[in-house]
Amino acid sequence: MLNDLPPEILHLIARDLCSKALYRLVSTSRRLHTVFQRSLYTNVTLCGRGSEDQTINIFLYAVTRTPRLASYVRSLKVNCWETEKDSNGKSAQRVGFDDKLVHQLVAERTGYSEEEKSKWLEDLERHNSDACLALLIPQLQELRKLNLTWPFGSHYVVDMLKKVAIRKEPIFPHLEEAYAAWHDSENAFPSHYMNAFFKFPSMRKVGCYMLAENENDNDDEFASESDDSESPKRATLSPQCSNITDIDLQESNAAEGMREWVQACKALKSFRLVHGGGVVSGTDFQPRKIYESLALHKLTLESIWVEAYDGAYMDTDDEWMGSFADFTALRLICISLPNLVGFDERKLPLRKLRDVLPSSLETLFLSLCEDESLEVATNHLAELVASESFPKLAVIYLEYYELRKPENVARLEWLEQRCQDASVLCFPHSSKGCMQQKQMMRVIWPDNEALSLFLY
């Protein structure tokens, strides 16, 4: 029955099928294989974990022997991969190893010394997935999106990205988005692993989960301990070198406020950093350094989200970031009240909200650390919505932990009435629950795809 349907209808059906279902369907007939082949290769997911898993190798051979298949790939997701050599012997003795093809691909690579190529071939013969993946990715020159779950000790993939990024002719002329996550629930991957993406001219968005900004160029605590010579060396970024407009970092630590990345952008439009705390690295939350970086893009930033780690209080959590009043394009901001106005030693505000926010603001997400801050916040917000200096302000989200004082319930009702009088929507909610409000925030600013890599 399916064989009798026109290709247009079959492609509509394919849009709603997962990769496994599509693969099974393609296997049922020659006509369906022909019709669905492009769809089957458009979004590819590989998993390189497990010594018996050769999906990376198999896919490399397929797209190299049939280049047309490589041209179909628009999105590649690699859910971690092995970086150790196979101790069971050379994979020339394993199923499907193509010695001639592998040697040809390595020989064609530029920017490598003969010694590096020899070492690369040795690791490929030992079924090192990191070495194989470094051969595969450059074959996919029609990529629009790349998703990686970094394993510990990656060398070949990081080095490959660094080398192709400095080529005169871009090897990924259409790549727009790159997402990356760390493979474990502790520690993180260093930010310089992603530096190459800032050099690809078509790139627009970088999203990461469990990333740590390097504090010292010569201190890479994440490098392989077994062989220092193989650890990826950091390549610095030049200011104003990148077309990236969106940086989205969740459960990540920024020792220097992501200064190198931010200043590398020509016109940054959105920036989110959710601090990862001690689980990620020993770096404290650095709101002031983050502000100093973002201030480089006062005329272009439209959305800013900066959030401290919610697992433990740090001395810098209440540090004043700086005034956003002259961020003339800013439409959405999500920051805690202390970081926006600054608190003194008595937990009293040093500034007014209306004095540190831009007139362009449309959406404000304000988080409170303590119940005692609620009275301050409601007073500041009431002044804000009553002011004529914020004509575009449409929505306020006020997040608190819990209402310990009965009078605070009445204060929230009072604030909601002030907002209603000013035609501003107001959504107070507790961070302890209220999934509806969190879902609404995901509509405003969805989780980046790096989170789904971590949860895989």
Side-chain angles (χ1 to χ4, degrees), residues 399-417:
E399 183 176 87
Y400 53 86
Y401 182 66
E402 63 179 336
L403 300 178
R404 298 187 182 93
K405 299 178 180 179
E407 60 267 26
N408 281 338
V409 175
R411 293 207 62 84
L412 287 180
E413 293 175 352
W414 173 81
L415 174 62
E416 289 181 274
Q417 185 59 53

Side-chain angles (χ1 to χ4, degrees), residues 2-3 22-33:
L2 281 175
N3 272 323
L22 187 59
Y23 179 78
R24 295 191 187 100
L25 189 59
V26 165
S27 305
T28 60
S29 79
R30 181 171 297 178
R31 179 174 183 261
L32 292 180
H33 181 273

Side-chain angles (χ1 to χ4, degrees), residues 36 75 94 97 234 242 300 318 352 424 426:
F36 287 135
S75 170
R94 301 166 69 93
F97 183 80
R234 176 172 178 171
S242 177
T300 60
D318 291 345
K352 296 281 190 178
V424 175
C426 182

Side-chain angles (χ1 to χ4, degrees), residues 70-88:
S71 71
Y72 294 159
V73 182
R74 297 294 183 269
S75 170
L76 175 66
K77 179 187 293 186
V78 188
N79 293 308
C80 208
W81 58 91
E82 296 291 347
T83 59
E84 299 295 326
K85 301 182 182 76
D86 183 3
S87 59
N88 296 322

Side-chain angles (χ1 to χ4, degrees), residues 35-49:
V35 172
F36 287 135
Q37 190 177 66
R38 180 184 291 272
S39 299
L40 185 64
Y41 281 83
T42 298
N43 301 303
V44 177
T45 299
L46 303 175
C47 182
R49 275 297 179 93

Side-chain angles (χ1 to χ4, degrees), residues 162-178:
K162 183 178 69 175
K163 283 180 166 60
V164 300
I166 60 176
R167 288 179 49 162
K168 291 183 179 180
E169 294 295 325
I171 198 167
F172 302 117
H174 310 291
L175 185 63
E176 297 179 351
E177 301 177 38

Side-chain angles (χ1 to χ4, degrees), residues 97-214:
F97 183 80
D98 191 328
D99 182 80
K100 182 179 179 180
L101 178 62
V102 168
H103 275 71
Q104 177 186 337
L105 289 174
V106 172
E108 292 172 351
R109 294 297 183 259
T110 60
Y112 294 87
S113 67
E114 290 304 314
E115 182 180 356
E116 287 176 316
K117 289 183 177 181
S118 177
K119 181 68 167 59
W120 197 353
L121 284 168
E122 179 184 333
D123 285 341
L124 285 164
E125 291 172 355
R126 295 185 179 183
H127 198 59
N128 182 315
S129 294
D130 192 44
C132 186
L133 190 60
L135 274 186
L136 168 62
I137 295 176
Q139 301 295 108
L140 311 177
Q141 297 188 16
E142 296 296 321
L143 273 177
R144 269 61 172 177
K145 182 167 63 176
L146 180 60
N147 300 50
L148 301 171
T149 303
W150 288 109
F152 179 83
S154 177
H155 160 63
Y156 286 103
V157 174
V158 178
D159 197 43
M160 174 274 296
L161 288 171
K162 183 178 69 175
K163 283 180 166 60
V164 300
I166 60 176
R167 288 179 49 162
K168 291 183 179 180
E169 294 295 325
I171 198 167
F172 302 117
H174 310 291
L175 185 63
E176 297 179 351
E177 301 177 38
Y179 300 93
W182 182 237
H183 74 103
D184 202 356
S185 58
E186 295 182 352
N187 300 318
F189 67 92
S191 58
H192 73 81
Y193 276 24
M194 303 295 287
N195 279 10
F197 294 104
F198 284 78
K199 299 181 180 181
F200 300 134
S202 57
M203 275 292 299
R204 295 297 181 269
K205 183 172 184 177
V206 168
C208 301
Y209 188 86
M210 299 191 75
L211 166 145
E213 182 182 20
N214 288 341

